[in-house]
Amino acid sequence: MFGNTSLTHFLFGRLSWEAIPYHEPILVVTFAVVALGGLALLALITKYRLWGYLWHEWFTSVDHKKIGIMYIILAIIMLLRGFSDAIMMRIQQAIAFNGSEGYLPPHHYDQVFTAHGVIMIFFVAMPFVTGFMNYVVPLQIGARDVSFPFLNNFSFWMTTAGAIIIMMSLFVGEFARTGWLAYPPLSGAAYSPGVGVDYYIWGLQVAGVGTTLSGINLIATIVKMRAPGMTFMKMPVFTWTSLCTNILIVATFPILTATLALLSLDRYVGTNFFTNDLGGNPMMYINLIWIWGHPEVYILVLPAFGIFSEVVATFCGKRLFGYASMVYATCVIMILSYLVWLHHFFTMGSGASVNAFFGITTMIISIPTGAKMFNWLFTMYRGRIRYDVPMLWTVGFMVTFVIGGMTGVMLAIPPADFVLHNSLFLIAHFHNVIIGGVLFGLLAGVNYWFPKAFGYRLDPFWGKLSFWFWQIGFFVAFMPLYVLGLMGVTRRVSQFEDPSLQIWFIIAAVGAFLIALGILAFIVQLVVSFLRRDELRDTTGDPWDGRTLEWSTSSPPPDYNFAFTPVVHDHDSWYDMKSRGYERPLTGFRPIHMPKNTGTGIILAGISTVLALALIWYIWWLAALSFIAIVAVSIGHTFNYHRDFFIPADTVVATEDARTKTLAERT
């Protein structure tokens, strides 16, 4: 029926030996290192017989705490990949002068900067933020888990599946060469006929399913599962920022999904939504992608603001100054983030009145952000500040983020934006906000909540070393880019002719290496802390003298979080309980109803990965088979009636008695 070529095409679609980049030495070496590292890891897991433990305790877990930890582990792994791209770009730009073409060919350099943006936003910042929201929010509101525990597991594995798809593009085929937002017509079939843009589309579509469902889950959890007495105006600020973040996720990620679906129709079916032919319009894509893209920045930064609020109140030993104004500022930012997307394309001829409206709204959104900054400063004023590692990250954020905010207001002025828009000034501003705001917040959060998750504090020496490398490295790496941007140097360029620019790129590369030392110090901090865990042990459950409910339970918390649901009287609920002389109940424990683990989430995500790869490589029979399998597994899961169980009262009594004994030994 098939000739040999036809059969091969039917079985493998576009996939062939040519898809393996064996002629690219950098990729071959990278693949070898990754493959050897992966095999070593698998060998260790097999040697110590950990497969059963990992499957039953982690991969199939519906415990919000374990899922939160897995999100953060995914983010840290992807940070190493995304940062390696950044180092490659910095080295290339520092040496590609005076006739030297550097070591990255232009087509490879374009893939590197696209992958860097996609990985850092979608697979570092998003899983990091979601991990914290997953872990902390149920504990802060006095809940035993999220509203939909299975959905939580499924969301995580879909995000991981998206990351796997993006990582596979490094070794099989290629990645997009379009920039991280894949503007048409460059991302259309005519200009990008290979598999790169398809990897981009399906990696983000699969991960986007996980993010959207996670947003729905966390909104339902915060609205419906708060402890008795916890009105909206008694919720911790981190829970408030999480609520606003997830409202933005549910409102915006379907827009991204629809936009990428239309782009894939253009590529696969030959429609003309985003072409210049037959009534299509590339500007429609740019409008749609930024209607998602600008709220995305606030999806990332609002939880970081929440972390800083918790850290400042705890380490200053004071109530957060202006709690109500913090809440209102968060809600105003959430709403205004929907009214500023057009400042991303002031230069595209929208007209003076449209530019003026979006310029003004962009400046207005800096007001509630500034209000938050003053609230943090007033909380610090006359507080007994303890400069532990989380507080250092917070102070570093205040200095760094204000500079990023001011350059953002500069870019909000349309005439200035015409000059600076496509320059390295914009790159410096964006990194100033995302590193100084989001990443500093996430690293503050790791140091702050780590003892809650694992029962021992992180080593402060290596934490401080990491902070100073990051802080100094950031300024050395990105201030030269502000200078280059003001000199008119455009972004996304891999080779330069003007030798006077080289010194600035060399300084920026030195800064990137300082940041690399910061990341290394963070990894050393994790290892050293594990080795010294007995010394750094926290037996109280409240190592920082915390103010919110997560510190009222043991570290790490039991599976059920709270033996009795706490009753709340104030937004600093745990501090209020301590000041009232609260005593833990020691009797009257009952069986606790809990959700049961399930493997359906990881199975569905695995099949979704196969489906995505089949669509990328045009292997239509495999795509059809995968789709049928997804439907079949989903229907099969609806017949699973054994989704819950009771933790026996005896187990609860034993757990609580053990904690009582530990607390008694300490006193």
Side-chain angles (χ1 to χ4, degrees):
M1 182 176 174
F2 295 98
N4 196 24
T5 311
S6 302
L7 180 60
T8 304
H9 184 69
F10 173 76
L11 289 175
F12 299 107
R14 294 191 283 182
L15 187 58
S16 69
W17 289 112
E18 297 299 314
I20 310 294
Y22 44 80
H23 51 279
E24 298 268 7
I26 295 169
L27 293 179
V28 171
V29 171
T30 308
F31 177 70
V33 170
V34 171
L36 288 171
L39 288 170
L41 182 63
L42 294 177
L44 284 171
I45 293 171
T46 307
K47 181 184 176 185
Y48 291 105
R49 299 180 180 176
L50 292 173
W51 287 112
Y53 166 75
L54 288 172
W55 177 261
H56 294 295
E57 293 295 323
W58 289 89
F59 296 170
T60 61
S61 176
V62 294
D63 182 342
H64 72 95
K65 300 182 288 297
K66 288 180 176 174
I67 291 169
I69 290 166
M70 288 194 290
Y71 266 117
I72 292 170
I73 291 169
L74 171 67
I76 291 168
I77 292 167
M78 295 305 287
L79 172 66
L80 299 177
R81 162 69 212 278
F83 186 76
S84 64
D85 288 338
I87 286 281
M88 288 169 71
M89 286 189 284
R90 282 285 147 264
I91 294 170
Q92 167 67 22
Q93 289 188 316
I95 64 176
F97 280 87
N98 301 321
S100 166
E101 294 181 358
Y103 72 103
L104 285 176
H107 76 278
H108 192 173
Y109 181 83
D110 292 350
Q111 289 180 60
V112 167
F113 74 68
T114 304
H116 172 72
V118 170
I119 287 168
M120 287 302 201
I121 296 295
F122 289 98
F123 300 108
V124 177
M126 283 301 297
F128 231 139
V129 162
T130 311
F132 276 120
M133 293 190 296
N134 252 298
Y135 193 95
V136 176
V137 165
L139 288 167
Q140 282 198 336
I141 64 174
R144 292 210 165 106
D145 211 307
V146 292
S147 283
F148 309 111
F150 159 69
L151 207 61
N152 204 14
N153 176 285
F154 176 59
S155 299
F156 166 72
W157 285 113
M158 287 299 276
T159 305
T160 306
I164 289 167
I165 292 162
I166 299 295
M167 291 292 276
M168 286 187 72
S169 69
L170 185 64
F171 307 123
V172 185
E174 60 175 6
F175 195 58
R177 301 196 296 267
T178 55
W180 75 283
L181 287 174
Y183 280 8
L186 187 56
S187 57
Y191 291 91
S192 292
V195 295
V197 176
D198 300 320
Y199 266 116
Y200 171 91
I201 288 171
W202 295 110
L204 297 196
Q205 290 290 48
V206 169
V209 171
T211 306
T212 308
L213 294 176
S214 178
I216 294 166
N217 204 345
L218 283 160
I219 291 171
T221 303
I222 295 168
V223 171
K224 300 297 287 183
M225 297 184 70
R226 300 189 308 280
M230 186 178 279
T231 60
F232 276 112
M233 292 310 284
K234 286 182 184 152
M235 291 197 315
V237 174
F238 180 75
T239 302
W240 258 113
T241 57
S242 299
L243 177 62
C244 291
T245 292
N246 286 294
I247 290 169
L248 283 175
I249 284 173
V250 172
T252 58
F253 265 80
I255 299 170
L256 176 67
T257 302
T259 309
L260 294 177
L262 294 176
L263 179 62
S264 53
L265 284 172
D266 276 10
R267 290 180 60 81
Y268 282 75
V269 186
T271 53
N272 289 276
F273 292 107
F274 304 133
T275 67
N276 280 322
D277 306 318
L278 301 171
N281 188 352
M283 275 302 299
M284 181 60 72
Y285 179 93
I286 294 164
N287 260 299
L288 288 170
I289 203 83
W290 281 116
I291 290 171
W292 159 80
H294 199 84
E296 166 67 10
V297 177
Y298 293 95
I299 286 167
L300 298 179
V301 86
L302 281 177
F305 287 170
I307 293 169
F308 293 128
S309 300
E310 303 293 344
V311 167
V312 166
T314 299
F315 288 94
C316 296
K318 284 175 65 180
R319 288 173 73 92
L320 188 68
F321 181 90
Y323 169 84
S325 64
M326 275 297 216
V327 170
Y328 296 138
T330 304
C331 296
V332 168
I333 289 171
M334 175 184 72
I335 294 162
L336 284 178
S337 69
Y338 248 116
L339 298 175
V340 296
W341 82 88
L342 199 123
H343 69 216
H344 292 277
F345 44 102
F346 276 153
T347 58
M348 293 191 188
S350 301
S353 55
V354 172
N355 282 359
F357 172 83
F358 283 93
I360 291 163
T361 52
T362 304
M363 292 179 210
I364 289 170
I365 205 170
S366 66
I367 295 170
T369 311
K372 283 175 173 285
M373 196 65 70
F374 283 112
N375 282 357
W376 292 318
L377 288 169
F378 282 128
T379 306
M380 292 170 69
Y381 177 65
R382 302 188 77 171
R384 294 181 179 179
I385 305 173
R386 291 172 285 153
Y387 284 106
D388 285 297
V389 178
M391 195 64 198
L392 284 180
W393 283 111
T394 303
V395 175
F397 147 78
M398 288 178 173
V399 175
T400 313
F401 191 81
V402 165
I403 296 168
M406 290 191 297
T407 56
V409 173
M410 283 175 65
L411 289 166
I413 304 164
D417 190 75
F418 266 76
V419 178
L420 298 170
H421 179 78
N422 205 35
S423 74
L424 287 170
F425 187 95
L426 185 73
I427 300 298
H429 158 72
F430 184 74
H431 286 80
N432 203 328
V433 172
I434 295 296
I435 293 176
V438 179
L439 208 69
F440 280 18
L442 296 169
L443 291 167
V446 168
N447 283 275
Y448 182 56
W449 280 306
F450 192 92
K452 175 53 55 184
F454 295 100
Y456 60 92
R457 291 192 303 280
L458 283 172
D459 182 84
F461 171 77
W462 287 100
K464 289 174 182 175
L465 206 61
S466 176
F467 164 74
W468 285 112
F469 275 131
W470 265 103
Q471 182 71 68
I472 296 165
F474 168 78
F475 282 104
V476 177
F478 290 100
M479 292 302 125
L481 300 195
Y482 278 125
V483 175
L484 288 164
L486 289 167
M487 290 164 72
V489 180
T490 53
R491 55 188 173 148
R492 298 174 177 168
V493 177
S494 62
Q495 300 166 24
F496 300 90
E497 292 179 2
D498 183 351
S500 68
L501 303 176
Q502 187 169 15
I503 184 64
W504 297 104
F505 283 109
I506 291 170
I507 294 168
V510 170
F513 279 103
L514 288 173
I515 292 173
L517 291 174
I519 294 172
L520 181 64
F522 172 65
I523 293 165
V524 172
Q525 181 191 22
L526 294 175
V527 174
V528 168
S529 305
F530 177 75
L531 296 175
R532 294 182 55 214
R533 60 192 180 281
D534 292 332
E535 245 178 278
L536 297 164
R537 182 78 59 201
D538 164 44
T539 53
T540 63
D542 187 12
W544 311 119
D545 191 19
R547 307 177 74 83
T548 44
L549 281 179
E550 72 268 31
W551 304 109
S552 68
T553 185
S554 61
S555 297
D559 290 345
Y560 49 80
N561 292 351
F562 304 94
F564 293 100
T565 301
V567 178
V568 171
H569 300 282
D570 189 69
H571 74 258
D572 277 349
S573 39
W574 176 230
Y575 176 79
D576 176 62
M577 289 161 76
K578 287 188 287 190
S579 61
R580 289 166 181 261
Y582 166 81
E583 291 184 10
R584 281 178 60 244
L586 302 177
T587 57
F589 301 113
R590 295 182 178 179
I592 294 175
H593 180 248
M594 293 296 289
K596 193 178 270 187
N597 291 359
T598 172
T600 309
I602 188 171
I603 293 165
L604 281 173
I607 303 169
S608 299
T609 307
V610 175
L611 172 61
L613 293 171
L615 289 167
I616 289 163
W617 291 101
Y618 295 1
I619 307 172
W620 303 119
W621 64 269
L622 185 58
L625 211 60
S626 307
F627 182 74
I628 292 164
I630 288 171
V631 173
V633 173
S634 303
I635 292 170
H637 181 68
T638 65
F639 289 97
N640 174 14
Y641 299 119
H642 305 289
R643 300 188 184 202
D644 52 1
F645 70 104
F646 280 89
I647 297 175
D650 294 347
T651 307
V652 179
V653 169
T655 306
E656 295 300 313
D657 284 353
R659 184 167 189 227
T660 304
K661 187 180 173 187
T662 306
L663 291 171
E665 284 171 359
R666 185 180 171 276
T667 53

